[in-house]
Every structure is written in C-alpha cells, then in structure tokens.
Amino acid sequence: MKEPITITELEVWKVLEQIPDPEIPVISITELGVVRDVKIEGSAIAIKITPTYSGCPATNVFEQDIKTEMEKLGFEQVNISFQYSPAWTTDWLSEEAREKLRDFGIAPPEGTTKDKKFLLGEDPTVKCPQCKSTNTVMTSQFGSTACKSLYKCQDCLEPFDYFKCI
Ligand SMILES: [Zn+2]
C-alpha cells in the first residue's frame, strides 16, 4: 500500500519555481509565466502550460522536467496539457524575471504588447543590458534562438540578445 499523497498545490508550485527555463536558466518556468494551472486529483496531477513561442524547442524540455519532478514527488500520473488561448505573451514575464534577464546579459522585452510602437511593427528602443545605453542596433532578426534578436551596443560595443516582445 502506497502512502497517500499529502502534497498541496502550493507545494507543487514551489517545486515548479525551481525548474529553470531551458534556454535562459536564470529564470524559472513560473517566472516565465508558462505554468497556468495546477490541480491535484488523488495520486494524479494535472498541469496546464502555455508554450511560449510556438515551435520553441524549449517546451519539450521543460515538459519532461515537469514530469520528472512530479514523479519524484510521488504522483503516479502526470497529465500535462497545453493551453493555447490566451496565447503566451512577454507581458507575463514577472518584473523579477526581467531583472534576472538583464543580469544574464539579455535585454528583456521593452514595454508591453499594448504599446503602439509594437502594433505598428516599429523596432523598439532596446537598452544595452551592460551599460544601459539606448544607442543600440539590431544586427540580426534571430539571435541564439528564434525567440531572440541579436543586438549590438554602439557605446560599449557588446553584442547582446534581445528577448522579443510578443
Ligand atoms: Zn552597452
């Protein structure tokens, strides 16, 4: 006879907070805002996640990480479902996550998707995460991953990734 699961949903959230984003390991998947819902049903757990960028290979990685962690907690069944609506947006990034991105050398998304500039498709003014200069230029639409653009600071001459605003 197995021990009944006594873990609360709050404790599950705490474990999820420890799972790093596969692409940006300094922020967790909860800070990224992809975990939408956690529900414990007996020895089963249902977790709803909203993938970030569609086709982002990171989704498969953290889906597996979630499964592994939940099995470690003793859940016999781990049901991960995807919720595509509302779609994930960079607006869901916590302020803490934006700060960590900067420390990691990635410029966080500027503003929110509600900005007029964004709607007009104009390039945002991106601040250099190193020296905070706004004298930056986009050097490539795609950075180290499809979710980022490559920028270069014209003051400190450092190249950096910009987390695209979506
Ligand atoms: Zn700079």
Side-chain angles (χ1 to χ4, degrees):
M1 193 64 191
K2 270 198 156 182
E3 291 279 313
I5 290 177
T6 53
I7 292 159
T8 65
E9 283 166 9
L10 194 70
E11 285 170 308
V12 169
W13 278 103
K14 290 231 171 81
V15 171
L16 293 172
E17 279 166 22
Q18 304 303 316
I19 300 178
D21 172 60
E23 289 183 352
I24 312 158
V26 288
I27 61 174
S28 72
I29 56 169
T30 55
E31 284 171 319
L32 197 62
V34 297
V35 183
R36 307 314 302 162
D37 193 43
V38 170
K39 207 161 233 113
I40 297 173
E41 286 151 350
S43 62
I45 184 154
I47 296 176
K48 251 189 222 145
I49 54 180
T50 296
T52 52
Y53 302 81
S54 57
C56 209
T59 309
N60 296 331
V61 177
F62 66 69
E63 188 187 346
Q64 197 49 55
D65 288 345
I66 293 172
K67 271 203 179 120
T68 308
E69 290 304 319
M70 292 306 113
E71 280 161 9
K72 269 194 232 163
L73 289 179
F75 290 104
E76 285 167 25
Q77 227 187 317
V78 184
N79 300 314
I80 296 174
S81 57
F82 293 92
Q83 185 181 309
Y84 292 96
S85 178
W88 184 84
T89 137
T90 41
D91 297 353
W92 293 358
L93 279 172
S94 66
E95 202 38 58
E96 214 184 347
R98 286 166 200 259
E99 201 49 55
K100 286 185 187 171
L101 282 173
R102 256 176 238 124
D103 291 345
F104 194 56
I106 297 172
E110 290 290 340
T112 69
T113 51
K114 287 165 200 83
D115 285 353
K116 235 179 165 179
K117 258 191 174 175
F118 174 79
L119 292 172
L120 295 172
E122 281 174 31
D123 281 344
T125 307
V126 176
K127 243 185 254 155
C128 168
Q130 315 289 344
C131 71
K132 316 279 182 251
S133 164
T134 51
N135 186 14
T136 59
V137 281
M138 189 199 283
T139 52
S140 169
Q141 188 72 40
F142 297 101
S144 56
T145 66
C147 333
K148 302 181 206 95
S149 304
L150 200 61
Y151 272 72
K152 192 177 175 172
C153 175
Q154 294 185 297
D155 284 338
C156 70
L157 306 175
E158 283 294 320
F160 63 92
D161 274 334
Y162 169 61
F163 204 111
K164 282 185 216 168
C165 191
I166 59 161

